[in-house]
Amino acid sequence: MTANPPERATVESVELRIPRKAEWVAVARLAVAAIASRMRFTIEEIEDVKLAVAEACTNAIQSADGADQIEILCETDDTQLRVTVANRSGSGVAIAPPPLAEDEVRIDGLGVFLIRSLMDDVEYDAGPETGTRLVMIKRLAS
Amino acid sequence: MTANPPERATVESVELRIPRKAEWVAVARLAVAAIASRMRFTIEEIEDVKLAVAEACTNAIQSADGADQIEILCETDDTQLRVTVANRSGSGVAIAPPPLAEDEVRIDGLGVFLIRSLMDDVEYDAGPETGTRLVMIKRLAS
Amino acid sequence: MDIKVNVRETDGETNIVELAGEIDVYTSPKVKDALGELIDRGVYNLVIDLEKVRYIDSTGLGVLIGGLKRVREHGGTVNLVCTNPQIKKIFDITGLVKIFGIYDSEDAAMKASV
Amino acid sequence: MDIKVNVRETDGETNIVELAGEIDVYTSPKVKDALGELIDRGVYNLVIDLEKVRYIDSTGLGVLIGGLKRVREHGGTVNLVCTNPQIKKIFDITGLVKIFGIYDSEDAAMKASV
Ligand SMILES: Nc1ncnc2c1ncn2[C@@H]1O[C@H](COP(=O)(O)OP(=O)(O)O)[C@@H](O)[C@H]1O
Ligand SMILES: Nc1ncnc2c1ncn2[C@@H]1O[C@H](COP(=O)(O)OP(=O)(O)O)[C@@H](O)[C@H]1O
């Protein structure tokens, strides 16, 4: 016998694609906040999701993989919000980020650290085929 | 010689897909407002675009064509915001809207009238192949 | 992204319906139900206060028009309180300013209601 | 979705940098430039007022940390004014509360600055 996943309420999805540019992250942030507001999240939880998604977009922008779009998929049900942030690159190959100017401070991992702190579940995969995908889950208090 | 269209500034696109349900229209509205805010629109113009896009989504919901998603494409350049609202139906066939309850008032055309009043340019096409598409343009003051 | 409906009785025959939030395709049924309930109870003079409404679309306008139609059958009135320029503009361009009384305050709308 | 930077000189050596809006990957370079300009001019004691900041992300934090690093080379200080619980929370979970002085008012931050 295989373990069946627990039965799930109906999933409703919102998909958003923005140019992979800093000036569009605010749009993703506000759209995701609007989605989270439709659920039973508290204001603090909405802010958490907003920041986590923005951090994921910022990562996608700062990585130098040649993608020109960021895809944000939000899947909601009665229990949780699941957000997938992915680079839409032709090649999908994530390469090293550009070198920083001398006076720039790279606090490596601050973005991902924040995401992990703010969300309940985070999965991160980068592969030559899939590009970089960050999957984050925020659960509703039951 | 053919007439060349005037040269255009770079177009940047944001794509949004929401379930074809009333409770998601607010997400489209807020996302489009966020996009318009990134441009040089006045607060009044942003409200215009917000309402026009919401009316287009409402139409898409109230039509009974079996589509399960609404697709909102926002194309921006230095001169304008162009929003396309389309039903994503399998068949694409738009059929008559459901009959109204006796006490319901159908002010036919109020939605489309508002869209036409609030936007600078509106194109509307419904066909068996394309489904229903509403293309609306709001121009930036030059 | 929600609507709150608060009904207040007054000394006279008029009831004040205070709406707060956004009236759109999702929330307008709630407004419709609230108005319908009042009218079913025989309240035909309504002041609808839109001061806390940040957004209204054609479905919201449809609900207000529907309410007006119903109370008029009983010689009633619907007077609106609205100063928000964006919302007044919607009543302007749709021509609904000519159908509803639109006032700057509840007091003014109440006076017009009798 | 923008940031406003307002620099105010005071009687002493400290300058107050008042930020208003959202500090994210798009707007943080503007904050970085403003801080860099001050530090280039030899202002090494900064009070950064975040009371009108509604949102800050890791790039914004990075800019503040970068500023702190630079002024510290000259024995300077960066003290923050912040009471917004959501923003304080970000400084908490990242451990940055231990690196910055965070105060409830400009007065308190100014006093700590000397
Ligand atoms: N979406 C992504 N696409 C490609 N690379 C990524 C993505 N997210 C993170 N990375 C890579 O992981 C590294 C570490 O990310 P992160 O922990 O957030 O550090 P930082 O806060 O400095 O951006 C980044 O420098 C980047 O190279
Ligand atoms: N996106 C759409 N998809 C399918 N049908 C539509 C769409 N938009 C409008 N329609 C059709 O056009 C009719 C007129 O729309 P409209 O002028 O907005 O009237 P109303 O304000 O009563 O919805 C609607 O009843 C509907 O059948």
Side-chain angles (χ1 to χ4, degrees):
Chain A
M1 267 182 29
T2 57
N4 287 321
E7 264 198 272
R8 270 283 167 65
T10 330
V11 176
E12 297 199 309
S13 305
V14 174
E15 235 179 292
L16 179 67
R17 260 178 226 162
I18 56 168
R20 192 166 143 273
K21 290 189 177 172
E23 59 259 51
W24 293 103
V25 173
V27 172
R29 203 159 70 211
L30 292 172
V32 170
I35 292 166
S37 313
R38 293 236 50 78
M39 304 173 71
R40 284 179 296 103
F41 287 117
T42 64
I43 290 178
E44 185 178 346
E45 288 167 333
I46 294 167
E47 288 297 319
D48 291 350
V49 174
K50 213 166 129 179
L51 180 53
V53 170
E55 294 294 346
C57 292
T58 299
N59 275 349
I61 288 168
Q62 288 173 344
S63 76
D65 74 349
D68 58 356
Q69 281 190 318
I70 302 174
E71 193 174 287
I72 299 126
L73 173 64
C74 300
E75 293 161 295
T76 70
D77 63 33
D78 288 348
T79 65
Q80 64 177 33
L81 170 61
R82 185 175 187 270
V83 186
T84 306
V85 178
N87 299 1
R88 295 251 309 172
S89 55
S91 74
V93 184
I95 54 170
L100 297 166
E102 217 170 286
D103 63 335
E104 262 183 294
V105 178
R106 174 142 227 143
I107 322 97
D108 246 335
L110 194 51
V112 166
F113 175 81
L114 278 172
I115 296 171
R116 289 197 188 277
S117 306
L118 299 170
M119 301 296 276
D120 292 318
D121 232 325
V122 181
E123 255 174 72
Y124 184 76
D125 60 77
E129 255 121 90
T130 53
T132 311
R133 287 171 71 242
L134 197 57
V135 184
M136 323 175 247
I137 289 173
K138 187 85 173 178
R139 273 187 274 276
L140 284 160
S142 50
Chain B
M1 266 182 27
T2 58
N4 286 323
E7 264 199 272
R8 271 282 168 66
T10 330
V11 177
E12 298 198 308
S13 305
V14 174
E15 235 179 290
L16 178 67
R17 260 177 225 163
I18 57 169
R20 192 166 144 272
K21 290 189 176 172
E23 59 259 52
W24 293 103
V25 172
V27 171
R29 203 158 71 212
L30 291 172
V32 170
I35 292 165
S37 313
R38 293 236 49 77
M39 305 173 71
R40 285 180 294 102
F41 287 117
T42 64
I43 290 178
E44 185 178 346
E45 287 166 334
I46 295 168
E47 288 296 320
D48 291 351
V49 174
K50 212 166 129 178
L51 181 53
V53 170
E55 294 294 346
C57 292
T58 299
N59 275 349
I61 288 167
Q62 288 173 344
S63 77
D65 74 348
D68 58 357
Q69 282 190 318
I70 302 174
E71 193 174 286
I72 299 127
L73 172 66
C74 300
E75 294 161 295
T76 70
D77 63 32
D78 288 348
T79 66
Q80 64 178 32
L81 170 62
R82 185 174 187 270
V83 186
T84 306
V85 177
N87 299 1
R88 296 251 306 172
S89 54
S91 75
V93 183
I95 55 170
L100 296 166
E102 218 170 285
D103 62 336
E104 263 184 294
V105 179
R106 174 142 228 144
I107 323 96
D108 246 336
L110 194 51
V112 166
F113 175 81
L114 277 172
I115 295 171
R116 290 198 188 276
S117 306
L118 299 170
M119 302 296 275
D120 292 317
D121 232 326
V122 181
E123 254 174 72
Y124 184 77
D125 59 77
E129 255 121 273
T130 52
T132 311
R133 286 172 70 243
L134 197 57
V135 183
M136 322 174 249
I137 289 173
K138 187 85 173 178
R139 273 186 275 277
L140 284 160
S142 52
Chain C
M1 287 185 289
D2 208 350
I3 190 76
K4 285 205 178 61
V5 184
N6 177 25
V7 178
R8 279 183 281 140
E9 290 181 32
T10 59
D11 289 345
E13 285 178 0
T14 306
N15 272 207
I16 297 175
V17 182
E18 200 182 17
L19 302 176
E22 314 196 329
I23 315 181
D24 72 354
V25 61
Y26 181 54
T27 62
S28 60
K30 197 168 161 183
V31 178
K32 190 187 163 189
D33 289 349
L35 297 185
E37 207 178 289
L38 276 175
I39 299 168
D40 288 344
R41 281 200 347 239
V43 180
Y44 303 130
N45 289 299
L46 300 176
V47 164
I48 302 181
D49 186 338
L50 303 175
E51 285 299 85
K52 289 177 186 153
V53 171
R54 292 185 310 268
Y55 175 87
I56 189 166
D57 73 1
S58 66
T59 61
L61 297 177
V63 165
L64 297 181
I65 297 166
L68 180 62
K69 270 187 83 168
R70 283 198 60 196
V71 299
R72 275 200 180 158
E73 288 165 14
H74 303 90
T77 56
V78 173
N79 286 300
L80 307 178
V81 183
C82 177
T83 58
N84 178 320
Q86 185 65 21
I87 292 180
K88 282 182 95 164
K89 175 178 152 185
I90 304 304
F91 282 94
D92 260 332
I93 59 182
T94 53
L96 293 175
V97 273
K98 287 173 234 146
I99 296 176
F100 291 102
I102 301 185
Y103 300 90
D104 283 356
S105 67
E106 279 189 10
D107 271 358
M110 284 299 291
K111 276 186 194 122
S113 192
V114 264
Chain D
M1 287 184 289
D2 208 349
I3 190 76
K4 286 205 177 61
V5 183
N6 177 25
V7 177
R8 278 182 281 140
E9 291 181 32
T10 59
D11 289 345
E13 286 179 359
T14 307
N15 272 207
I16 298 175
V17 182
E18 201 182 18
L19 302 176
E22 313 197 330
I23 315 180
D24 72 355
V25 61
Y26 181 54
T27 61
S28 60
K30 198 167 160 182
V31 178
K32 190 188 163 189
D33 289 350
L35 297 185
E37 208 178 287
L38 276 175
I39 298 169
D40 288 344
R41 282 203 340 245
V43 179
Y44 303 130
N45 289 301
L46 300 176
V47 164
I48 302 181
D49 186 340
L50 303 174
E51 286 298 86
K52 289 177 186 154
V53 171
R54 291 184 311 268
Y55 175 87
I56 189 165
D57 73 2
S58 66
T59 61
L61 298 177
V63 165
L64 296 181
I65 296 167
L68 180 62
K69 270 187 83 168
R70 284 198 59 195
V71 298
R72 275 200 181 159
E73 288 165 14
H74 303 90
T77 56
V78 173
N79 287 301
L80 307 178
V81 184
C82 178
T83 58
N84 178 321
Q86 186 65 21
I87 292 179
K88 281 182 94 164
K89 175 178 153 186
I90 304 304
F91 282 95
D92 261 332
I93 59 181
T94 54
L96 293 175
V97 272
K98 287 174 232 147
I99 296 175
F100 291 101
I102 301 185
Y103 299 91
D104 283 356
S105 68
E106 278 189 10
D107 271 358
M110 283 299 292
K111 276 188 195 121
S113 192
V114 265

